[in-house]
Amino acid sequence: MPVQVAPYPTVTDALVAARVLCNDAAQSILGDILASNQPFVLPMCDLAHKTLRKMLTRAGVNTYSKYGFVSNLVKVATSDPTVQVQLSYTGYFDGITERASPFLPADLVEPLEIWERQNGTINSWQPVKQASDSISTRAQVASFGIWDWESDILYLPGATQANDLKLKYLYATPRLTDSAQQIPIADCEMAMGALIAKILSQSRGGTATQTFQVWAESEVGLLISPTSRKEQYGAYNRQPFRGTRARRRR
Amino acid sequence: MAMNASEGYNQALSLFSSLYEDMAASDLPEGLSPDNQDIVYLPGSVGTRPAFNRTLSQPTPEPTSDTMSLTEFAMPSGEFLRIWLYSSGNLWQQPSTGGSPTQLGSITVGSRFCSVTAFDKQWFAFFNQNLSNAFSQSPFCGADVPRYFDGQNVWRVTQDAPGVPPTFTEVPTLPVGLAQTSPTGTLSVTTVVSSGAKVFTIQVPHHTLSEIIYTSLTYTCTGAVPLTWLNTQITVTGCTGTNSSLANTTGMVIAISGSTFTLGVGTGSIRVNLTSQSGTATLPGNYFTRSANIVTAYFGSTNLPNFQAGLYAKIFNLNNSQINGPNWTITAIARDTTGLVTVTISTQLTNLPSGTLLFISATDTTDFPPGYHQVFQVISATGGTTVFTISDPTWGNGAVATSSGGSVYQTWNGTFQILSVGVDANSNNFITYFQLGPDANLTSTGGTPQAQLEAQIPPGPRSAVLMFESVNGAITPASVPIQLSITGGPNLLSAQDILIGPPGTAKRIIAFTPAFGSSFFYVSPAVIPSVAGVSPVLSLGTIINDNTTTTAILDFSDSQLVAGTPIDVQGNDLFNQIVLAPCLGCIEYEGRMCWWGEVNNLKNLSNMGFDGGYNAPVGVCDTNGTAVAWDSGDLFSTFAAGASIVINNISYVVQSVADRQHLTLTTSAGVQTGVTFTLYSPTDQPPPGWTIPPGVFGFATLVASDSANLGFAIELFGIGGSTDGIIVQPAVQDFFGAPIVVPSSSYLVRLQAKRIGSSTVGSLVVDLFSPSTGLQITATFPRAGMPTGSLGWMVAPFNAAIPSTLPSDTLFRIYLNGVLNTNRVIVDELSIIDASKPVLFQQLRVSYFDNEFGYDQTTGVIGIDSAAKITALLKQRSYLFALTDGPMYQTQNNGQTEPNGWGISNFADECDCFGPNAVTATEDIAWWAGRSGWKVFSGATPKKISQEIQPTWESINQSNPTSIWALNDPEERITYLGVPRNGATKINFILPMSYRSVDAAYNVPDPIHTSYSGKMIATDLCRKWTRWNAPMNCAAMLTNPDLSRQIYFGGQDFGNFYSLNPAKYTDDDYGQIFSFYTTYFFFNHDIEQNAPGLGLHRKLDTYLSAYVTGVGQIQVTPLVNNLNNPWGPIPTAWDSVNQKWIPSGSPTGMPLVPLTLANLLNDLEWPLNVRGLRVAYKFAPVPLAGQTDAAFLLQHLVLTAKQDAVTPVRGSNL
């Protein structure tokens, strides 16, 4: 009985595609140059995956965002209104003290949207606005209200109560380290295969590199088409200049 | 990616050359093959080898045996016989024209032979490493008795000397009285008429002359003429009247009819028609008659003991008076001025020959003193007178003289050689001899005529020896001599107890020294016919021309003897002649047979093969039907059943022997009493040359060996004692004083033995024993280890070395110890081998010139001064080359000396040979195989020509090197080499090397040569190696019924041998042929560098086309980068469980393409998708389903390839 799997291809699936494209499956679908035991194969897949992700991201495919939660950002430890608290990958700065927790999700690349509520409550989440430039000085209140992302640190104004944060963020995809590992992009075998083939051919001085590049772009184009069509059907509210970024309510 | 021939580089390949393993496959030039098998090369093409086609129809004589050796015997009759040896040891033959195979004999199981045709015979040296391992650390030695085949039987090449010489006695001769012939009588003749008229016509000018000649006279008598007168000489006298002298004549009665008889007048034919003559016809009864110089002497009914042609008889009167013929009256005698005397007598003599010795007693004794004179010339014998001349200047005073009166007569007595002995129609015993004289009858001798045999052999001491001569002229070594003291004269020499030789013996030869002489000669019987008035000469000879006679009268003069054949001279020294021990190989060279690898046994022991003959029992017996009872003489032999017995000169066959005095024949001999018998059975006697010590028990007797043509063996009977059946002979010195066993040496005993009887208790013992000191050194052969079927070879060492001082009475003994009663052991081919050097590895044994059976212990030896072991011989341009396991040696017949005087020198080093059959020489070129490789040799430097298959060579199992064979097929121009490879102990591969495209057999270029620019190039004009998977133990060039010649291979397991049949595609008995040919690795670097779009790295082969014909299907397999990497795509399947593509099943080759033998309209094509740095293509035929036929012929191919556009390099070593 087939196992229940996600619509994501595995690294092996991508490799099979690459072998076929490279004529490396002429003897066996397990490949020769692209055999799983070749030392460069998984890194090559990983690289191809990164490239594919970038290409997709560049094309606006949001496949790589997700939600996360950070709890108990304690109240600011000083009443100085100019002091900002900082949430980093390594801890939380309360204005006076560097605390080991809470900290940012490890796979967070960049926050897209942030919501807050008082710690320990079941209040609804209130949007926290992204600073268009920087966080200006204001009197300390119970909520953060505004955030800024600089140098991979989330800056918030000091709040007078402990709050929790809900984040939508671009996450760093996991590295492809195993041939059985799934690639979190549906139907990406051909794109991956073409990219792998392109990398392989390019690295070996093959004259087919450009062919594979074109092939890969074509496949990426095919991948982003559904997203484009989907967003064309969505409702968008144009924000004024320096306003908040266009986003949907969550 | 569509795979097609576009945008690629195309290369054609039409050179399919040699297997070449000694260079990295990837570096092989275009046209060579890194791997192939079971193929044959033709210029420009390569294909499956012809199939092995069985020769013998099924079932073969031995359907599960290996054919170990194979050869052909070109018989003198022009017929060709195929001879082969099975692993069972059985030797078979079949004519090339077919027919049922016939077994020729048996050799030891597992043996092979080295064979050669020479002297109208086929010679065999047998070797068997399993056997020789028992006494030799090296395999380069023989194992069984050398033999030859004469077209009828297989015989040993040499055999033992007769064990003992004959004994001799002198037989006194007695005078035998002559007697007048019977009948006698007188008849009155009333008329005589000429008869037998013949008319002769002569053509002369203008007319024809005719004349009547009468050839006989017919006499009419007064009474009936006795028929006994027919064919007798009679004399007619008393006739009167005209021409009565013609009627008064002596002649042979040629016809009788009633009262008439007819005399033949022969050449004295008459022209006168006699009529009405009368007279008296007398049949007088003659002592002697002479006609045409042959005298017949008559003895009536008296027996003539020992009288035989060739002996001499003295004719004399008992009172010693002369026997003179009739006196003839001298009517005239005259000497002329030249001294020639003319004598006229009044008698017309018939057939008076010149040279006749006459006593002339003329009246004129002054001018013609009486005396004997020889007739010089007969002037006339006609008209009742005879005129003859005497030319004797010493006669008388020599003065011219004329006289008349006196008489002439001839003396008849003297000593004459008997020309024949017989009995005439009237039962008159007679002898004939030669004496010049006129035809005459002697009815009176003036006394009592006698004849007495007179020996010619001069008196004095002399020696004699005995030899056997085989049906093929093989003369054995001489027996030990016996001394005689001859008195001669009236005593005839009689040889007694002449040994009967083993089967195959045709003659016995007795050689003598002259009186007081020391050199031995024998005389062959001969007849020198009479010519020009000279007596014929019969040479009685000293050869007994049969193998049955046990006594013989011998007579010769010493001048005859020394004019005979010497037997103790260089080139024919029968005292130094040896019995050839087992040898590794044989070859003919310059009229001599050469052998090598001879077992080093002691040569001067006596009768060690027990073939030194036997004494046939002789005696007197009575017969009653088939029952025979012994009377006197030698007792019957106990084990004589089946033997022949001659009773009263008639041969019978013994059916059974009840006891030593009674036997039964297979056919009736009637009722006879006191008749002589000779029983031809060797049993019940020890072998001659051995003795039975007194006071011992048990029993030893000669018996037939397993194979009749191997002569006799000895059978020892056990009775539970410690020395049962003992026989002994001296061990210290031979008859001539030469040492036998050498002090301080160690020896092995080798023999053939088998046990009879169920008990395994006890043993056969061979020992050296000194009665005086008690020294005893033994070699023991337990009965338990003996075979029970056929004789088997056994080896045992003496239990101690020979002491430094050997007692002079040391005996060599053989006996049974502890063998129970009724149990027996049969022993044959006993030999004592020098344990420190068991084989004469460095020695050739060469026969005497034109005597392929004679091998001299001293002069027949050529030795090399080396530790190398001779493995094979070859001859080339009058040179003889000895191949060893190291250097190569050269010798040559110097035409002046025996072989030991020929020089031998080291010719080349490190050119070893595996064994006697690992060399093949034809077209004046020799090839051989050895550890160092396959060599070709034309008389200059041996040249190794197998370097290109060195890896294969190194896989040869060299632990049984003598099994390796080589053969050149000069017609197909292929040399074949059979080898065991990869640990096999039996031949499992043939390595053929084709040189058919080469201009000369010797000039076989390397498959690779270097161009002017230094590049390696392969061509078609070179030697080409391959490998055949073929379990063939041997090979030979055999003649087909249509007289074509072809190579045949002796195979394993099916008892057959095989020819190559290109019209068959499956080997008989062995099944499918797994042939393939692998091309070189496309592409060579020159092409890679220069071809557009190909590059030096990875390529993508996209298309292949080839002209391939054959049977079955063709499987093309790309071999990527190396020979062990077949391009075999594995099918891909969807794994629905794990939701992925997976390889499914085994690698699959490229699609099979059906083959046809017909001409192809289009080349076969294969789309390719093969990537690799280099790719070789392997072509292998595959049979259709359910079939085994599979063959291909590849003539041309084209490959399309281009650089790998994706990954020109892999970037990885995985």
Side-chain angles (χ1 to χ4, degrees), chain A residues 2-3 13 16 21-24 26-30 32-33 37-40 200-201 204-208 212, chain B residues 1 3 1098 1100 1126-1130 1132 1136-1137 1139 1141-1143 1169 1171 1205-1212 1214:
Chain A
V3 296
D13 293 332
V16 166
L21 295 178
C22 292
N23 194 28
D24 198 43
Q27 271 194 289
S28 168
I29 200 64
L30 297 179
D32 170 29
I33 302 176
N37 63 339
Q38 293 284 9
F40 51 82
L200 178 70
S201 180
R204 268 66 176 168
T207 57
F212 290 126
Chain B
M1 291 189 182
M3 303 307 163
R1098 284 161 58 86
L1100 175 66
W1127 183 267
I1130 302 172
T1132 302
S1136 59
V1137 176
Q1139 293 290 297
W1141 293 104
I1142 58 169
N1169 180 22
R1171 296 197 307 179
V1206 179
T1207 51
V1209 294
R1210 296 178 73 249
S1212 169
L1214 292 179

Side-chain angles (χ1 to χ4, degrees), chain B residues 411-412 445 490 527 561 657 680 759 813 843 862 918 921 967 1047 1076 1116 1198:
Chain B
T411 300
W412 288 62
T445 65
V527 176
L561 185 66
V657 180
Y680 295 100
S759 168
R813 313 192 303 177
Q843 177 176 301
I862 303 175
L967 188 69
I1047 190 168
F1076 68 82
V1116 177
V1198 175

Side-chain angles (χ1 to χ4, degrees), chain B residues 175-194:
Chain B
V176 179
L178 274 71
Q180 286 179 284
T181 52
S182 62
T184 59
T186 302
L187 290 171
S188 294
V189 173
T190 55
T191 60
V192 183
V193 296
S194 300

